[in-house]
């Protein structure tokens, strides 16, 4: 017989699949009506249980070792409303279902709940967030279509309207689910089988309401099922340790919330002393990915040591995770050991530059999953993590002191010229020089990041975590990146896929890297421009079409894409880079206070998962389609850092803000702040990052004119998103006027004079320089003499100028910020570097 814990987590994950089957009008087990259905007001209720039974008995592919236990699995899953109180497995699934669904379901008034259970559609949890401006109007004004999860389509965005649809829409969705279900891997062991099932469940049940009968339909079937499995897992492990049967009203502290937080991320990613080499353009993305892999290896090690499956993960994104564990002595002892091992490994590996904080003092009873209590526990774990981060690595420093005594002899050959932390390695330096053509001393880590991760990541489909491989991680776990799946996967710990493949866990990695394209090589103008860059010919010569894809662009090449191409094919404009850092405002408040007393395990998981989907998947799809020359350094959780051509990056930021608003159901309490820096490509990246971070801080400190935060700093000015978009539109008008100067008589010289008037205005208004007050008369004289003429057909441009310099206008914001649209137009029409 299979391990009972496996049966519990599998049964809990699939216990409500009957809801999907019932709505799709699939068969059910008629003979089990009297076994599973409960009497509700004189009528049999919970019909989905007999549909779940039929699915588990007939449709679900199982591992060979589980076939003899098929009926046991069906019983454990389907009896969750009428469990045998003496059966531990059934009680764990039933209590977990009640703790998850009981804390999720919000009763609706009779006049709000007339939609049938097949017609009801999932309400986005984002619409329920209420902080200052937004008010949720039950049952909501947005809903998700029934569709497979596809981040490249608009289906991941909620639609405006009453949350209802056609009942028959379930039928084609279930058909697609069944077709992929038939391909489920049943020959690679339970762990891979289970992860495949989780992935498939997410793909097809993410937009299905878990409960829609007289309740608010805001929890997906996937999030309810996943959280139920996580609770059931911890509950079963607790009670097998205590040998005591669970009851509905237990008040024992059975659960541990384990929090993990990776600190020093930005310093580590950008801690590169040399930013001019070709290979360095790969290393930032590689380092960001490497940190995600380290975080994953730590979670995998915790799961392996304690004996857990992935459903323990409540939050897992952006270097931060929260796991649900059983509160048993063996677990606490293992966490103590792991914490010491993790601190020692980070000290040796990263010399204190990067640290991982673990906290597990937050304990929960069954009652703490209820809506009235869960928010307090979530706040508690966050406070504990924040406090612990102030005492990083305290255990290892208390034992060994603050000085690192080992490894000094390794530096006899000098330190790495890139990271300046590790010792240089002769073999790595030689390999780097051979492939990248740069003569530098380099360590093994930097070499692997550039030559292995940086090169393979854009083209790989699978991340393979095992006991051997290319990149060493924590706990004797190694990572390999592969385009193809290995033939034998039984000895592998964990596999994540970056392809459209529900056979394994989904790796949400923002891996976009701009590449030299065939169209650019075929365009003589771009080819000549790129050919002036150091190492361009070597990049082209090293291209191997069979290996898939062109070489990545250097930062200088990315900056060149700031140029615009005229109708005759020629290129004009200054090659400037934009550094952009952004994150969601008040995310901690959104997660804790935003949902008020509605915060639950499933809602927490849903918020975290959807936000991560937006930043790590949808955002990358958007870049590939519309802004392919923007380099993703990192993006996930709730923030991102990008480097790209200046104009495209600023326009992308505006698009990003709009898409986030749309993704979050137009909730005015969910906003984005952003800092930018426009610079020449030779500025050291480390310096650029520090300045960009300062700009983001300015945006987040903004408080005025009816908004807090929700700003972007561009060219040193803190603007609302609407202001920036309006200024960019004005810049486009100036640019078009320059292109059509025969009609408008606009010249770059005229625009420079407008820039002078702008500076005079600012000196007059903000510095009190009276002599600069003649800006208005000079501007009117200039416009009248050089632009206003009957022989020019430029009435639209004249109206724009007179609007900007309008006499007596109280709102001079457009004149105050005139340097921004002028920057836009002038830098698109200058050829100098």
């Amino acid at each position: 017989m299979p391990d009972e814990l496996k049966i519990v987590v599998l049964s809990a994950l699939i216990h409500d699949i009957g809801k999907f089957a019932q709505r799709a009008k699939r068969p059910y087990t008629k003979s089990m009506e009297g076994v599973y259905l409960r009497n509700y007001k004189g009528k049999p209720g919970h019909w989905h249980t007999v549909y779940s039974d039929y699915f588990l008995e007939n449709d679900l592919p199982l591992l060979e070792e589980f076939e003899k236990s098929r009926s046991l699995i069906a019983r454990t899953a389907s009896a969750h409303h009428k469990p045998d109180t003496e059966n531990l497995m059934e009680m764990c699934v039933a209590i977990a279902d009640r703790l998850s669904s009981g804390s999720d379901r919000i009763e609706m008034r009779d006049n709000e709940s007339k939609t049938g259970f097949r017609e009801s559609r999932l309400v986005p949890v984002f619409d329920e967030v209420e902080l200052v401006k937004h008010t949720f109007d039950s049952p909501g004004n947005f809903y998700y279509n029934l569709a497979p999860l596809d981040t490249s389509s608009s289906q991941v965005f909620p639609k405006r309207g009453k949350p209802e649809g056609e009942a028959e829409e379930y039928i084609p969705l279930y058909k697609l689910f069944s077709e992929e279900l038939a391909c489920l891997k049943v020959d690679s062991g339970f762990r891979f089988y289970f992860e495949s099932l989780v992935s498939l469940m997410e793909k097809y049940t993410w937009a299905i309401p878990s409960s829609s009968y007289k309740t608010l339909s805001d929890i997906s079937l996937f999030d309810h099922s996943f959280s139920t499995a996580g609770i059931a897992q911890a509950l079963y492990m607790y009670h097998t340790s205590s040998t005591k049967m669970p009851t509905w009203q237990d008040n024992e502290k059975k659960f541990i919330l384990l929090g993990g937080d990776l600190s020093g991320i930005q310093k580590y990613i950008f801690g590169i002393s040399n930013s001019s080499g070709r290979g360095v353009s790969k290393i930032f993305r590689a380092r960001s990915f490497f940190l995600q892999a380290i975080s994953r290896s730590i979670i995998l090690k915790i799961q392996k040591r304690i004996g857990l499956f992935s459903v323990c993960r409540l939050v897992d994104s952006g270097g931060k995770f929260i796991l649900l564990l059983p509160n048993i002595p063996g677990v606490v002892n293992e966490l103590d050991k792991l914490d010491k091992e993790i601190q020692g490994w980070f000290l040796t590996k990263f010399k204190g530059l990067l640290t991982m904080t673990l906290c597990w003092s937050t304990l929960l009873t069954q009652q703490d999953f209820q809506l009235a209590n869960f928010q307090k526990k979530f706040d508690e774990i966050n406070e504990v993590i924040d406090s612990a981060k102030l005492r990083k690595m305290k255990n290892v420093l208390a034992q060994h002191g603050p000085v690192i005594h080992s490894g000094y002899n390794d530096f006899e050959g000098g330190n790495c010229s890139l990271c300046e932390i590790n010792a240089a390695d002769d073999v790595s330096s030689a390999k780097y020089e051979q492939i990248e053509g740069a003569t530098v001393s380099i360590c093994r880590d930097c070499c692997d990041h550039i030559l292995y991760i940086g090169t393979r990541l854009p083209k790989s489909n699978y991340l393979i975590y095992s006991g051997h491989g290319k990149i060493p991680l924590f706990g004797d776990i190694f990572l390999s990146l592969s385009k193809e799946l290995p033939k034998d996967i039984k000895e592998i710990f964990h596999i994540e896929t970056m392809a459209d493949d529900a056979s394994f866990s989904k790796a949400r990695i923002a891996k976009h890297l701009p590449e030299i394209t065939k169209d650019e090589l075929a365009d003589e103008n771009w080819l000549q421009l790129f050919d002036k860059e150091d190492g361009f010919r070597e990049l082209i010569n090293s291209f191997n079409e069979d290996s898939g894809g062109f070489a990545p662009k250097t930062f200088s090449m990315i900056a060149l894409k700031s140029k615009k191409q005229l109708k005759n094919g020629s290129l004009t404009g200054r090659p400037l880079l934009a550094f952009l850092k952004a994150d969601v405002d008040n995310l901690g408040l959104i997660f804790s206070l935003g949902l008020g007393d509605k915060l639950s395990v499933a809602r927490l998981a849903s918020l975290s998962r959807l936000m991560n989907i937006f930043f790590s998947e949808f955002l990358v799809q958007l870049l590939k389609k519309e802004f392919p020359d923007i380099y993703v350094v990192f993006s996930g959780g709730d923030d991102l850092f990008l480097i790209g051509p200046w104009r495209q990056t600023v326009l992308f930021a505006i698009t990003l803000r709009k898409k986030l608003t749309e993704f979050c159901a137009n909730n005015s309490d969910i906003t984005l702040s952003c800092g930018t820096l426009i610079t020449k490509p030779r500025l050291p990246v480390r310096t650029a990052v520090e300045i960009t971070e300062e700009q983001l801080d300015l945006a987040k400190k903004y408080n005025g004119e009816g908004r807090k935060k929700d700003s972007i700093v561009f060219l040193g000015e803190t603007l609302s998103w609407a202001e920036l978009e309006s200024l960019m539109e004005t810049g486009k008008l100036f640019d078009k006027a320059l292109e059509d100067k025969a009609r408008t008589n606009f010249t770059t010289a005229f625009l420079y004079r407008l820039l002078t008037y702008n500076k005079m205005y600012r000196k007059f208004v903000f510095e009190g320089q009276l002599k600069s007050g003649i800006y208005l008369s000079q501007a009117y004289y200039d416009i009248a003499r050089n632009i206003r003429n009957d022989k020019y057909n430029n009435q639209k441009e004249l109206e724009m100028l007179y609007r900007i310099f309008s006499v007596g206008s109280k709102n001079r914001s457009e004149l105050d910020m005139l340097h921004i649209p002028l920057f836009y137009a002038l830098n698109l029409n200058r050829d100098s570097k």
Side-chain angles (χ1 to χ4, degrees), residues 355-391:
T355 59
M356 168 63 77
T357 301
L358 286 187
C359 301
W360 59 91
S361 61
T362 302
L363 306 179
L364 284 75
T365 67
Q366 290 177 187
Q367 312 313 315
D368 286 327
F369 287 94
Q370 299 301 318
L371 294 178
N373 304 324
F374 189 74
Q375 179 186 330
K376 297 176 184 177
K377 289 298 179 179
F378 180 67
D379 289 342
E380 182 181 324
I381 184 64
N382 283 314
E383 290 171 4
V384 170
I385 291 173
D386 290 341
S387 177
K389 286 167 66 175
L390 300 176
R391 304 184 303 277

Side-chain angles (χ1 to χ4, degrees), residues 262-400:
L262 197 61
S263 301
I265 293 176
Q266 183 164 297
K267 287 184 178 179
Y268 176 75
I269 292 175
F270 299 109
I272 302 297
S273 61
N274 181 1
S275 61
S276 61
R278 286 188 288 116
V280 178
S281 65
K282 305 174 188 176
I283 199 170
F284 300 113
R285 173 63 257 173
R287 282 192 158 203
S288 174
F289 166 76
F290 178 57
L291 297 187
Q292 290 176 276
I294 289 174
S295 183
R296 171 65 69 242
S297 70
I298 291 172
I299 295 175
L300 289 173
K301 197 66 177 179
I302 292 171
Q303 289 179 204
K304 186 176 181 181
R305 293 271 279 269
I306 297 175
L308 299 167
F309 297 101
S310 63
V311 287
C312 66
R313 305 173 195 166
L314 303 183
V315 173
D316 180 16
S317 64
K320 184 175 182 178
F321 57 82
I322 297 177
L323 311 182
L324 183 66
L325 312 180
N327 182 23
I328 54 181
V331 169
V332 175
N333 292 337
E334 283 298 331
L335 291 178
D336 279 324
K337 294 177 185 177
L338 277 165
D339 189 33
K340 292 174 183 176
E341 292 172 18
I342 289 169
Q343 290 187 32
W345 186 79
F346 270 83
L347 185 65
T348 302
K349 181 75 174 176
F350 301 105
K351 315 299 187 293
L353 180 66
L354 195 70
T355 59
M356 168 63 77
T357 301
L358 286 187
C359 301
W360 59 91
S361 61
T362 302
L363 306 179
L364 284 75
T365 67
Q366 290 177 187
Q367 312 313 315
D368 286 327
F369 287 94
Q370 299 301 318
L371 294 178
N373 304 324
F374 189 74
Q375 179 186 330
K376 297 176 184 177
K377 289 298 179 179
F378 180 67
D379 289 342
E380 182 181 324
I381 184 64
N382 283 314
E383 290 171 4
V384 170
I385 291 173
D386 290 341
S387 177
K389 286 167 66 175
L390 300 176
R391 304 184 303 277
K392 299 171 185 174
M393 310 187 79
K394 63 175 184 178
N395 292 334
V396 70
L397 293 177
Q399 183 178 358
H400 301 291

Side-chain angles (χ1 to χ4, degrees), residues 540-748:
I540 300 305
N541 292 337
S542 65
F543 166 66
N544 182 345
E545 195 157 353
D546 292 333
S547 65
F550 287 97
K553 289 172 178 164
T554 64
F555 289 153
S556 293
M557 292 176 188
I558 292 174
L560 288 170
K561 293 297 292 184
S562 297
K563 290 178 173 289
K564 68 174 181 178
Q565 195 156 20
L566 302 177
K567 293 180 180 180
N568 62 7
S570 62
L571 300 168
T572 183
R574 293 181 68 198
L576 299 174
L577 279 180
F579 290 77
L580 182 149
K581 192 172 192 297
D583 63 29
V584 176
D585 296 320
N586 306 312
L587 190 69
L589 294 178
I590 289 171
F591 273 69
S592 57
L593 299 181
L595 290 174
D597 59 4
K598 292 183 287 188
L599 184 66
S600 66
V601 173
R603 288 190 183 89
L604 172 65
S606 179
L607 275 174
S608 175
R609 184 175 58 84
L610 288 171
M611 195 67 80
N612 196 39
I613 283 174
F614 179 83
F615 280 98
S616 62
E617 290 195 72
F618 169 76
L619 178 144
V620 175
Q621 298 294 337
L622 177 64
L623 287 171
K624 288 179 178 178
K625 289 179 183 178
E626 301 181 27
F627 306 92
D629 289 300
I630 296 178
Y631 173 40
V632 181
V633 179
F634 61 78
S635 181
D638 71 309
D639 64 353
L640 72 156
F641 196 103
L642 309 175
I643 303 174
W646 75 267
R647 177 174 55 129
Q648 293 91 319
T649 303
V650 175
L651 295 178
F652 166 76
I654 295 171
T655 303
L656 173 67
R657 176 64 176 84
K658 291 180 177 179
K659 291 295 183 182
L660 179 65
T661 299
E662 184 182 346
F663 189 80
C664 295
N666 286 10
N667 190 322
S668 54
D669 280 331
I670 304 178
T671 59
L672 187 80
S673 289
C674 177
T676 65
L677 172 67
I678 312 299
T679 180
K680 294 180 179 179
R682 295 296 179 182
L683 180 71
V685 172
R686 184 185 295 177
T687 302
V689 168
E690 291 174 356
I691 298 173
T692 308
E693 181 70 27
E694 292 171 359
Q695 303 303 292
L696 176 59
D697 288 342
L698 287 175
K700 286 193 164 293
K701 289 176 181 176
Y702 184 82
N703 184 6
E705 298 181 4
R707 76 176 194 277
K708 293 184 69 174
K709 304 182 180 181
D710 193 19
S711 303
I712 180 169
V713 174
F714 179 62
L715 299 181
E717 303 289 350
T718 303
L719 306 167
S720 71
W721 291 97
E723 287 171 337
L724 178 64
E725 184 175 12
S726 175
L727 292 168
M728 289 296 102
E729 291 302 315
T730 303
K732 292 176 184 178
L733 293 176
F734 279 129
D735 177 46
K736 290 180 180 179
L738 286 177
E739 288 183 357
D740 196 12
K741 61 182 178 181
R743 178 184 64 82
T744 65
N745 204 36
F746 272 57
T747 64
T748 54

Side-chain angles (χ1 to χ4, degrees), residues 155-180:
Q155 297 290 8
V156 294
F157 285 77
K159 309 297 183 293
R160 183 182 286 277
K162 190 176 180 181
E164 60 183 52
E166 298 295 327
E168 302 302 311
E169 291 174 352
Y170 275 101
I171 296 174
L173 182 65
Y174 192 93
K175 184 175 184 295
L176 292 173
F177 172 66
S178 297
E179 290 171 355
E180 282 207 56

Side-chain angles (χ1 to χ4, degrees), residues 92-278:
C92 286
V93 174
I95 291 174
D97 171 62
R98 184 177 293 190
L99 294 180
S100 180
S101 64
S103 61
D104 290 340
R105 291 177 184 168
I106 299 172
E107 298 295 327
M108 296 174 64
R109 297 183 295 272
D110 288 340
N111 63 344
E112 296 177 330
S113 55
K114 295 179 181 179
T115 305
F117 71 96
R118 285 189 176 94
E119 290 79 10
S120 290
R121 292 296 178 263
L122 185 68
V123 175
V125 68
F126 294 113
D127 194 19
E128 296 179 82
V129 172
E130 298 177 313
L131 290 176
V132 177
K133 298 180 180 179
H134 181 69
T135 301
F136 176 65
D137 183 19
S138 182
N141 298 307
F142 291 85
Y143 68 95
Y144 292 107
N145 282 332
L146 284 180
L149 181 60
D150 180 5
T151 55
S152 65
S153 76
S154 61
Q155 297 290 8
V156 294
F157 285 77
K159 309 297 183 293
R160 183 182 286 277
K162 190 176 180 181
E164 60 183 52
E166 298 295 327
E168 302 302 311
E169 291 174 352
Y170 275 101
I171 296 174
L173 182 65
Y174 192 93
K175 184 175 184 295
L176 292 173
F177 172 66
S178 297
E179 290 171 355
E180 282 207 56
L181 187 70
C183 301
L184 201 65
K185 293 184 179 296
V186 294
D187 58 355
S188 303
F190 180 78
R191 195 170 291 273
F192 285 119
Y193 167 82
F194 186 71
E195 292 298 333
S196 301
L197 189 57
V198 169
S199 182
L200 199 61
M201 287 279 289
E202 181 184 27
K203 183 174 181 178
Y204 287 100
T205 67
W206 76 278
I208 295 176
S210 172
S211 176
S212 57
Y213 181 70
K214 293 188 177 181
T215 60
L216 183 64
S217 304
D218 65 332
I219 300 296
S220 75
L221 183 57
F222 173 74
D223 287 310
H224 168 65
S225 301
F226 190 88
S227 60
T228 298
I231 296 171
Q233 173 177 243
L235 197 61
Y236 179 83
M237 294 180 71
Y238 177 86
H239 281 282
T240 52
S241 174
S242 69
T243 67
K244 178 184 175 183
M245 287 296 295
T247 64
W248 301 108
Q249 300 299 326
D250 284 352
N251 283 302
E252 302 167 37
K253 294 180 178 179
K254 301 180 180 181
F255 308 93
I256 297 173
L257 281 185
L258 169 68
D261 195 294
L262 197 61
S263 301
I265 293 176
Q266 183 164 297
K267 287 184 178 179
Y268 176 75
I269 292 175
F270 299 109
I272 302 297
S273 61
N274 181 1
S275 61
S276 61
R278 286 188 288 116

Side-chain angles (χ1 to χ4, degrees), residues 347-351 404-417 419-426 441-443:
L347 185 65
T348 302
K349 181 75 174 176
F350 301 105
K351 315 299 187 293
I404 302 174
H405 298 282
S406 62
Y408 282 98
N409 294 334
D410 296 338
F411 288 84
E412 291 180 356
N415 62 345
C416 175
S417 61
C419 68
E420 297 183 331
I421 295 175
N422 299 322
D425 182 277
D426 291 339
S441 297
I442 190 171
C443 67

